Amino acid sequence: MTHSLSPISEASNMPFDIKTRVKELEEELIELRRDFHMHPELGMAEHRTAGIVERYLKKLGLEVSRMCGTGVIGLLRGRQPGKTLMMRADMDALPIEEMTGLDFKSKTPGVMHACGHDGHTSMMMIAAKILTENKNNLKGDIKFVFQPNEENGCALDMVQDGVMQNPTVDAVIGTHLMTGLPTGAISADDGPVMAEANVFRLTLQGLGGHTAVPEDSIDPILAAASVVQQVQAIQTRELSPHKSVAIVFGSIHAGTVANIIPEKVELHGTLRCLFNSREEPGENVLDRFERIVSNICAAHRVGYELEWTFHDPAVVNDPAVSAVVRNAAADVIAGTSQKIVPYVTMIGEDFCRFSQEVPGTFYFVGVANKEKKTDFPHHHPSFDIDEDGLATGVELHVTSAIHYLNGCVQNTPN
């Protein structure tokens, strides 16, 4: 995929020097990130984080409100009338014991920021400061949304509680720091960029017995082995190779000792795809999964229960909003060695709940630096980010907001 891009600072008549202001605030940016990193909080328990964000936004003079307990919303009203842009950052950490050895490592046992949300929160706080300082140059409003519990899908709760109203949101943007991209690289592709994520719990019910007389039992482990293998045929034999699907079993539990055939097997895993499976014509991927499970269980005389415990649709970027972000990115990287690159991941993201309501784009900023040991995958106990990428994220936030509200750019061809 290629995009026609060019820096447009002169054409857009940018009202202030964003890059210089970001540089002036970089120390504060890093201090915020490190503080959040030292004090991680799980989803719906982000009380300290939300309190810091709330006080910060109030000090800026924004209209501040709470939603979903620990969610924080700050409304910046521009001097001139126009559209309303929503900008979203997530705040929650993960139940992982940190193993980075950083001076500012987590002080909370068993909890760490292993997905970059500490960086997302601090970047948007600094972006809010810069945009507020220049609100007289804005044509429209900006709604800064600091979301709790992204890891468990709180975006849908915020939508249902009215986050897209008062004022009505016209477009939404958000970002994710990625250790899959080198520091400073930016990606804002059109179309699907993050996967639909479905979590399943499958229980196979057999008949226990002694392994010396297996004919007197119904072995659910044998059926489970067949299920694990055969559902992979959905990707390789039932769908076009151009449609990405990943079915992975992360947990299998059965039995207690070597010489007893267990009564049941429990399998947990995820089914991900780079399209919205429920919108597919005909039999969707989840139905195909259950059809295979059902027939395997019938063949093995095993009962089953299948529960889909979590679902987020794919993140699909709007071409027009993506074009705005890419043109903003061209300004950000002008005169540097940074690049705008294509990037798609099978990770899920509940940002999709917002971009299903209004046109939206979710863009990525690289933070991988092997020498700094910031190239570990997300959700890894050694996960860390190259803090040099934070300033890029802030500058892209600010520039994208101004481009969208002030109509600095025209859409570029995809």
Side-chain angles (χ1 to χ4, degrees), residues 147-406:
Q147 180 198 320
N149 204 27
E150 181 276 330
E151 297 292 346
N152 293 294
C154 188
L156 180 59
D157 296 329
M158 298 193 86
V159 170
Q160 293 172 342
D161 285 354
V163 73
M164 313 302 290
Q165 283 79 49
N166 300 315
T168 300
V169 173
D170 294 293
V172 60
I173 60 175
T175 193
H176 209 300
L177 298 170
M178 299 300 296
T179 58
L181 289 171
T183 299
I186 295 171
S187 181
D189 291 331
D190 299 349
V193 294
M194 300 189 82
E196 172 185 294
N198 303 281
V199 178
F200 61 82
R201 180 191 301 269
L202 174 62
T203 302
L204 305 184
Q205 185 68 48
L207 179 64
H210 201 296
T211 58
V213 282
E215 69 274 15
D216 292 339
S217 303
I218 298 177
D219 189 351
I221 290 181
L222 194 60
S226 185
V227 166
V228 171
Q229 290 184 313
Q230 294 306 313
V231 293
Q232 308 303 325
I234 294 173
Q235 168 68 83
T236 62
R237 294 296 182 273
E238 297 196 14
L239 297 174
S240 166
H242 299 292
K243 288 190 173 182
S244 297
V245 174
I247 303 172
V248 179
F249 293 81
S251 173
I252 301 177
H253 294 280
T256 55
V257 296
N259 62 345
I260 298 176
I261 294 174
E263 291 280 340
K264 65 180 181 179
V265 178
E266 290 190 354
L267 307 95
H268 300 173
T270 60
L271 188 158
R272 303 170 184 270
C273 44
L274 274 177
F275 53 89
N276 288 319
S277 66
R278 289 164 172 78
E279 298 175 4
E280 285 291 290
E283 189 181 27
N284 68 42
V285 179
L286 276 64
D287 291 339
R288 293 172 190 267
F289 183 94
E290 183 162 10
R291 167 174 49 77
I292 292 173
V293 169
S294 175
N295 282 283
I296 288 174
C297 288
H300 287 270
R301 299 172 297 145
V302 168
Y304 78 92
E305 291 183 4
L306 175 60
E307 179 185 7
W308 298 99
T309 60
F310 180 77
H311 164 73
D312 264 334
V315 176
V316 182
N317 282 350
D318 177 79
V321 180
S322 295
V324 171
V325 174
R326 287 195 299 272
N327 279 281
D331 270 2
V332 172
I333 69 172
T336 74
S337 60
Q338 296 170 234
K339 296 181 179 180
I340 300 171
V341 299
Y343 189 78
V344 176
T345 175
M346 294 299 283
I347 297 173
E349 237 292 347
D350 72 349
F351 179 86
C352 59
R353 299 297 184 176
F354 304 126
S355 57
Q356 283 187 321
E357 299 293 317
V358 296
T361 287
F362 199 65
Y363 44 93
F364 305 113
V365 174
V367 288
N369 185 317
K370 190 172 184 179
E371 292 182 357
K372 295 182 180 180
K373 299 181 180 180
T374 64
D375 56 344
F376 286 94
H378 293 251
H379 295 205
H380 189 282
S382 295
F383 175 88
D384 188 22
I385 62 175
D386 182 356
E387 292 176 330
D388 288 345
L390 295 174
T392 299
V394 173
E395 190 177 350
L396 186 55
H397 274 336
V398 174
T399 309
S400 295
I402 292 172
H403 281 193
Y404 177 79
L405 292 179
N406 291 9

